[in-house]
Amino acid sequence: MTLIADRPGPGAARPYRFPPVVRRTVAGGQVVAAHLPGQNLAVALLLLDVGAGQEPLGKEGLSGVLAKALEEGTAQRDAAAYALAVEGLGTALSTGLDWDSFQASVVVPVDRLSAAVELLAEAVRTPRLDPADVRRVRDDEATALRMDWANPGPRADAALRADLFGAENRWGRPMYGDPESVAGLDVEDVTVFHSEWFLRPGTLVVAGDLDRIDLDALAAAAFAGTGGGPVERGGPIEVPPHTGRRIILVDRPGSVQSTLRLGHPSPHRAHPDHVPMTLAGTVLGGAFTSRLNHLLREVHGYTYGIRGEFASSRRFGRFAVSSGVQTAVTAPALVEAVSEITRTQTTGVTEDELEVARSWRAGQLSVELQSPRAIASALTTLVVHDLPDDYHARLRESLLAADVDQVSAAAATHLHPDSLTLVVEGDAATIRDALTATALGTLLP
């Protein structure tokens, strides 16, 4: 018996309202806040203009080691005393970084926010950075990376990034470094990086009931003891696509699967085509209902899943496809993926596909932007990418208003199937001849 059913159509995207954005300058730093009336939890997030992109070449992973070392005590308290102070407020210090920024945040009841921000600032501005602690954190991070890099994926990701952006550039190397770069860091690297970047005021992001929050007092605590002028962010990095496709084979002897990474450079986050690019990427590979997933998973059975989408930072971006396939179907899977990317670039999207993508993307907003932490994260997007304060308030309408012509034009402009780098991590002895026979591109040594 064969069961045939029509795929359900898209539902109506639920409306949502992003809270008004409040900005002010206090104590040499910037405050960006959102008012959440009646909300008993509040988020304070210290955003610094330093991310992996500011790390020196050869010191990749430095930001991650420093972020972990902030948890090892401060100039005022050892690690145990600091942990007890934070836990006594019912919160935890969370840190994160990307190419453009470093973030440290706390989530607490509103009446404990002031004390929590003082502890947050204590960790970020005056960490203990005891040499023994820094070395232990470094060694732990290097060990974790060695374990991660033993799995399929990280080496393929690194090969793709190096080919697209150049290993001589920081953004052409892994964001969190590799086992060797992290293991090679010393205590002075960490302390100098902290003194250079972490004593600048930055931006304090707050999401909560502002009627019960003294933003000036929070900012005074967050920016105490800081100085220095604004960070020179630099403009967008123009990365031209390659002339012709190329295949990079990363050998994984004996592997029964091949890890695929396909990509090319794309525009930065604040590019005016961001919304239609996002929707084009959603139709092509950014959702379970996408063209790539339907073709390679449902039609051919080559993979459990494949994903392709545009991802971007403040200065650069890339279109990337990722999947894992059985070794025996590596070559045909690549052929089908490249063919589908080419079809999308040349023929655009259909109204039915776009309606699903619009509804899903717009509908996600009402789900994703509910909590104070999510609102704070959205505010950081405004700061990092210099977006207007009403960006999130208008985003739903922008998604729903994008039409087939706009999205198809974005696909035609920003997809470059003839310039793809195709990275394959797998058993080279088994798949090399089949990859050459596809004639998809030059197989690099």
Side-chain angles (χ1 to χ4, degrees):
M1 178 182 296
T2 301
L3 179 63
I4 300 175
D6 293 330
R7 176 180 291 171
R14 294 183 178 181
Y16 88 107
R17 183 181 66 84
F18 195 82
V21 177
V22 176
R23 287 182 184 258
R24 65 180 65 172
T25 300
V26 181
Q30 300 296 315
V31 177
V32 179
H35 182 35
L36 308 178
Q39 176 61 253
N40 289 321
L41 285 179
V43 174
L45 183 151
L46 185 58
L47 181 67
L48 302 180
D49 271 323
V50 55
Q54 280 75 34
E55 295 173 347
L57 279 178
K59 305 294 184 181
E60 296 83 26
L62 181 54
S63 302
V65 171
L66 177 53
K68 293 288 188 180
L70 297 182
E71 303 172 9
E72 299 299 322
T74 69
Q76 295 84 2
R77 315 165 206 249
D78 62 22
Y82 185 81
L84 286 173
V86 171
E87 291 172 5
L89 296 176
T91 187
L93 179 69
S94 299
T95 59
L97 65 99
D98 53 29
W99 286 107
D100 306 308
S101 65
F102 171 87
Q103 305 172 17
S105 63
V106 288
V107 183
V108 291
V110 175
D111 59 359
R112 301 178 186 175
L113 185 61
S114 178
V117 169
E118 290 178 3
L119 286 172
L120 183 156
E122 184 180 317
V124 173
R125 309 304 191 183
T126 60
R128 182 174 293 260
L129 298 183
D130 179 84
D133 291 335
V134 172
R135 295 188 190 99
R136 175 172 47 77
V137 169
R138 174 203 62 195
D139 293 345
D140 288 347
E141 290 296 290
T143 298
L145 282 172
R146 290 189 190 97
M147 295 173 64
D148 186 40
W149 280 58
N151 296 316
R155 290 198 298 153
D157 291 330
L160 177 61
R161 180 166 290 281
D163 188 70
L164 297 188
F165 301 113
E168 71 280 5
N169 300 311
R170 176 60 188 94
W171 50 90
R173 302 187 182 193
M175 184 164 69
Y176 295 102
D178 58 42
E180 289 71 32
S181 69
V182 171
L185 297 173
D186 59 34
V187 174
E188 184 179 7
D189 294 327
V190 175
T191 56
V192 169
F193 194 72
H194 178 270
S195 64
E196 182 177 359
W197 296 103
F198 280 58
L199 298 181
R200 300 171 186 256
T203 301
L204 180 66
V205 174
V206 180
D209 188 343
L210 299 186
D211 290 337
R212 302 160 59 191
I213 295 172
D214 186 339
L215 290 179
D216 291 344
L218 291 183
F223 303 143
T226 62
V231 174
E232 175 55 48
R233 292 182 167 188
I237 298 168
E238 298 298 329
V239 184
H242 291 307
T243 301
R245 284 192 295 265
R246 55 182 68 193
I247 303 173
I248 298 175
L249 185 52
V250 178
D251 191 18
R252 191 175 182 84
S255 178
V256 298
Q257 287 192 330
S258 294
T259 298
L260 309 183
R261 299 291 188 266
L262 291 65
H264 60 65
S266 67
H268 60 100
R269 175 63 176 78
H271 192 280
D273 284 350
H274 177 74
V275 166
M277 282 169 53
T278 297
L279 291 169
T282 302
V283 170
L284 174 58
F288 189 78
T289 56
S290 71
R291 289 180 171 184
L292 284 171
N293 201 59
H294 175 73
L295 180 63
L296 272 76
R297 173 189 163 98
E298 306 298 334
V299 175
H300 293 295
Y302 290 158
T303 180
Y304 283 113
I306 182 170
R307 190 168 186 86
E309 57 191 342
F310 292 95
S312 52
S313 67
R314 185 162 57 209
R315 304 187 66 193
F316 59 89
R318 67 171 178 171
F319 171 76
V321 175
S322 60
S323 186
V325 301
Q326 300 173 43
T327 297
V329 298
T330 301
L334 274 179
V335 170
E336 294 291 352
V338 171
S339 176
E340 196 60 60
I341 297 168
T342 302
R343 181 171 79 92
T344 303
Q345 192 268 340
T346 56
T347 67
V349 303
T350 68
E351 178 59 39
D352 288 345
E353 291 173 319
L354 181 56
E355 179 59 26
V356 173
R358 282 189 303 233
S359 175
W360 181 57
R361 287 289 182 186
Q364 277 187 311
L365 298 177
S366 60
V367 176
E368 293 177 345
L369 296 176
Q370 289 190 30
S371 69
R373 182 175 286 283
I375 297 295
S377 178
L379 293 176
T380 67
T381 301
L382 304 183
V383 177
V384 171
H385 302 292
D386 295 320
L387 298 173
D389 286 353
D390 64 348
Y391 175 81
H392 293 296
R394 295 185 291 104
L395 182 55
R396 179 179 182 275
E397 286 68 28
S398 298
L399 288 164
L400 294 176
D403 60 31
V404 167
D405 290 341
Q406 291 173 314
V407 175
S408 295
T413 302
H414 300 296
L415 286 175
H416 303 287
D418 293 334
S419 300
L420 284 165
T421 295
L422 315 175
V423 178
V424 182
E425 182 181 358
D427 188 337
T430 302
I431 60 180
R432 182 183 296 276
D433 291 345
L435 291 176
T436 301
T438 65
L440 285 174
T442 302
L443 182 61
L444 299 182

